[in-house]
Amino acid sequence: MEAVLVGLSIATGIPVMIGRIANLHGPGQSLAKQQGIVSQVCKTSLLGQPISMFVSLDTRRDYIIVDDCAALIAQAGARLRRVDRGSPVMKILASGRSVTLASIRGEFRRLIGRRPRVVTGVSPYARLQGRDLRFLSRVWPDLDRAQKTPLVVGMSRTLADLSLQVNGARSSAMN
């Protein structure tokens, strides 16, 4: 899809930015899919369930909260207007900070007052996962310095949002 978009940009002269988003987290994430470690740990902790992890707890990922990512996209979109026509831009949208799954587990322990129950398992697909995914955008790096929401703040916002959803669902079930 990126190649098609680049070709379209070059052929038409329409400025295009391709954004590669790191691990997005924050309130409003769909819980229908079992992805998004922050929202999944929030959900399982609120429901008193364990969460299954099939990669090592020292696996590192870069997490960016949805609000920071949206602001970064808006700023990059505004800058895109000044780019030469037909010059597609590839921008990595990330926090520039990576943390381990063990660190996330520790932060949740501080947030909820107990350690989230984690069940580690083995999966043949785990070997396909990179152990250390750190991102650094070389395109418009000055924009990256603007977004600064700490991961723990995003985790807290996600927990509060999901707590309202879970408590709302419980209230509806009782009526």
Side-chain angles (χ1 to χ4, degrees):
M1 290 186 346
E2 289 178 1
V4 170
L5 194 57
V6 167
L8 179 67
S9 175
I10 292 169
T12 64
I14 297 171
V16 167
M17 182 190 80
I18 297 169
R20 291 189 176 172
I21 301 174
N23 294 282
L24 196 60
H25 75 283
Q29 185 166 4
S30 171
L31 297 177
K33 302 179 284 182
Q34 286 217 338
Q35 64 185 68
I37 193 68
V38 172
S39 58
Q40 291 299 318
V41 172
C42 287
K43 177 183 135 184
T44 56
S45 294
L46 289 167
L47 296 175
Q49 301 169 341
I51 184 168
S52 298
M53 291 190 188
F54 297 98
V55 295
S56 171
L57 292 178
D58 67 350
T59 299
R60 300 184 76 83
R61 295 291 184 264
D62 185 311
Y63 298 90
I64 183 168
I65 190 165
V66 66
D67 295 339
D68 287 350
C69 188
L72 190 53
I73 291 169
Q75 293 166 349
R79 185 167 293 180
L80 187 62
R81 294 183 198 136
R82 299 189 304 261
V83 170
D84 291 337
R85 296 179 61 96
S87 299
V89 174
M90 174 80 64
K91 176 75 178 140
I92 294 173
L93 306 165
S95 71
R97 300 175 299 270
S98 69
V99 297
T100 65
L101 294 177
S103 296
I104 288 176
R105 185 180 184 194
E107 290 294 345
F108 268 110
R109 190 179 93 233
R110 284 186 274 289
L111 282 174
I112 64 176
R114 65 184 185 286
R115 180 176 285 167
R117 292 174 29 211
V118 174
V119 176
T120 56
V122 178
S123 167
Y125 301 107
R127 63 181 173 78
L128 302 175
Q129 295 287 325
R131 290 285 293 274
D132 191 346
L133 295 182
R134 298 176 201 213
F135 297 107
L136 178 66
S137 184
R138 299 191 193 307
V139 175
W140 303 332
D142 57 303
L143 297 182
D144 300 321
R145 291 188 278 278
Q147 41 88 22
K148 295 290 187 192
T149 303
L151 178 60
V152 70
V153 172
M155 292 165 62
S156 179
R157 289 179 188 165
T158 304
L159 185 63
D161 177 62
L162 290 177
S163 180
L164 289 174
Q165 289 182 45
V166 167
N167 291 331
R170 286 181 184 157
S171 295
S172 296
M174 287 197 244
N175 294 331

